[in-house]
Amino acid sequence: MHVYALVGSSGTGKSHRAIRLAAELHCQVIIDDGLIIEENRILAGTTAKRSTTRLGAIKTALFQEEEHRDQAREALLRCSPKGILILGTSEGMVEKIAARLELPAPEKIVYIEDIASSNEIRKARYNRAHHGRHVVPAPALEVTRNWTDALINPVKVFFQKKGSERKTWAEQSVVRPTFTSLGNLSISSPAIIAGISHQVQDIPGVADVGSISITHGDDGVTVRLPITALYRQPLHILGRKVQRLAFDILETMGISVLAVDVTIEKLLIK
């Protein structure tokens, strides 16, 4: 068994780059934030995002609870990986995780500065500080299936008023399109548009969906969504429902969203 480590301070984009690095190092398992992740599924563990305090999150990430540690050990024994990549904020942290799970000490430590430019690290820190985004190195469906109760609703974070304080320190989890040993998984704009249009049309009060446009940026997408609304209803409430649904659809697909702009272009009187 070969054990490697990826080290970088919090918010520098380690999780976002973990799957690609794991593939390069021939690692079948990633240990990140209290989770044991094998290629495209979560084998065991508890995300540190469940914790309500920083101390609790650190204990979870280090597998200090016996039940949590034992579950992780059993999962590693079952899958018997030839390579493991451990993520941590320091050399000491990854060494403690390896020791706690009875793994060999990391034979090679990769630093985030070795695989990401200073500009990319700045962007990752900006997303963490201003948008509360934490990338989970697992597919969206796998995350939804395993910890629906642990994730913060991204819509709540997105629609939070500027200047308002978050009630907890926990971050929003964003699952980006998955990298696998087969290559990159990408979702085309027509597929995204079709998915949004189909579900938005089912909202009571929406008579029709116009031509949706998507603009791609470095940090996510901006969606412009025109609709025709039925007369005699609060239009601002309808617009917000459409906006929330479209945003939720995109995040579930694993797409980082900058904005969803809804325009009520027409009123249909029946």
Side-chain angles (χ1 to χ4, degrees), residues 18 20 57 73 85 125 143 154 158 224 226 254:
R20 184 164 284 174
R73 283 180 183 172
L85 178 64
R125 282 179 167 151
V143 172
F158 182 74
R224 290 174 176 79

Side-chain angles (χ1 to χ4, degrees), residues 1 27-31 36-39 41-44 71-84 103:
M1 180 188 294
C27 294
Q28 296 78 37
V29 167
I30 296 172
I31 300 176
I36 309 296
I37 303 168
E38 181 188 36
E39 293 188 349
R41 63 197 181 106
I42 298 167
L43 294 181
Q71 289 176 354
R73 283 180 183 172
E74 290 173 7
L76 291 171
L77 286 173
R78 285 197 305 270
C79 67
S80 299
K82 293 182 179 180
I84 296 175
L103 297 172

Side-chain angles (χ1 to χ4, degrees), residues 3-75:
V3 177
Y4 304 94
L6 174 58
V7 169
S9 58
S10 180
T12 51
K14 296 188 301 298
S15 296
H16 182 52
R17 298 179 180 278
I19 296 179
R20 184 164 284 174
L21 178 62
E24 293 175 0
L25 296 173
H26 305 290
C27 294
Q28 296 78 37
V29 167
I30 296 172
I31 300 176
D32 179 27
D33 210 22
L35 297 170
I36 309 296
I37 303 168
E38 181 188 36
E39 293 188 349
N40 63 348
R41 63 197 181 106
I42 298 167
L43 294 181
T46 301
T47 172
K49 296 299 170 285
R50 288 181 186 269
S51 304
T52 56
T53 65
R54 288 188 181 275
L55 180 59
I58 293 170
K59 288 182 177 180
T60 299
L62 292 174
F63 297 90
Q64 290 191 355
E65 295 292 336
E66 289 189 6
E67 184 178 357
H68 185 204
R69 176 203 61 192
D70 293 344
Q71 289 176 354
R73 283 180 183 172
E74 290 173 7

Side-chain angles (χ1 to χ4, degrees), residues 3-180:
V3 177
Y4 304 94
L6 174 58
V7 169
S9 58
S10 180
T12 51
K14 296 188 301 298
S15 296
H16 182 52
R17 298 179 180 278
I19 296 179
R20 184 164 284 174
L21 178 62
E24 293 175 0
L25 296 173
H26 305 290
C27 294
Q28 296 78 37
V29 167
I30 296 172
I31 300 176
D32 179 27
D33 210 22
L35 297 170
I36 309 296
I37 303 168
E38 181 188 36
E39 293 188 349
N40 63 348
R41 63 197 181 106
I42 298 167
L43 294 181
T46 301
T47 172
K49 296 299 170 285
R50 288 181 186 269
S51 304
T52 56
T53 65
R54 288 188 181 275
L55 180 59
I58 293 170
K59 288 182 177 180
T60 299
L62 292 174
F63 297 90
Q64 290 191 355
E65 295 292 336
E66 289 189 6
E67 184 178 357
H68 185 204
R69 176 203 61 192
D70 293 344
Q71 289 176 354
R73 283 180 183 172
E74 290 173 7
L76 291 171
L77 286 173
R78 285 197 305 270
C79 67
S80 299
K82 293 182 179 180
I84 296 175
L85 178 64
I86 303 175
L87 275 60
T89 57
S90 67
E91 293 181 18
M93 179 179 180
V94 295
E95 289 170 355
K96 286 179 182 177
I97 292 172
R100 186 68 177 161
L101 298 179
E102 298 183 349
L103 297 172
E107 60 188 73
K108 179 181 180 180
I109 295 179
V110 178
Y111 297 91
I112 189 65
E113 292 82 4
D114 298 333
I115 58 175
S117 68
S118 57
N119 186 46
E120 289 168 332
I121 293 173
R122 279 197 301 271
K123 284 184 178 179
R125 282 179 167 151
Y126 178 86
N127 280 331
R128 177 69 67 90
H130 294 273
H131 300 294
R133 291 174 177 167
H134 175 81
V135 178
V136 180
L141 292 178
E142 186 71 17
V143 172
T144 302
R145 186 184 305 118
N146 280 272
W147 355 297
T148 51
D149 60 327
L151 297 182
I152 298 173
N153 186 343
V155 176
K156 291 181 181 178
V157 177
F158 182 74
F159 288 106
Q160 195 172 34
K161 293 181 179 178
K162 288 185 177 180
S164 61
E165 295 182 358
R166 293 192 179 96
K167 293 184 179 179
T168 72
W169 68 273
E171 297 141 343
Q172 172 191 3
S173 292
V174 177
V175 187
R176 300 188 184 278
T178 310
F179 299 106
T180 72

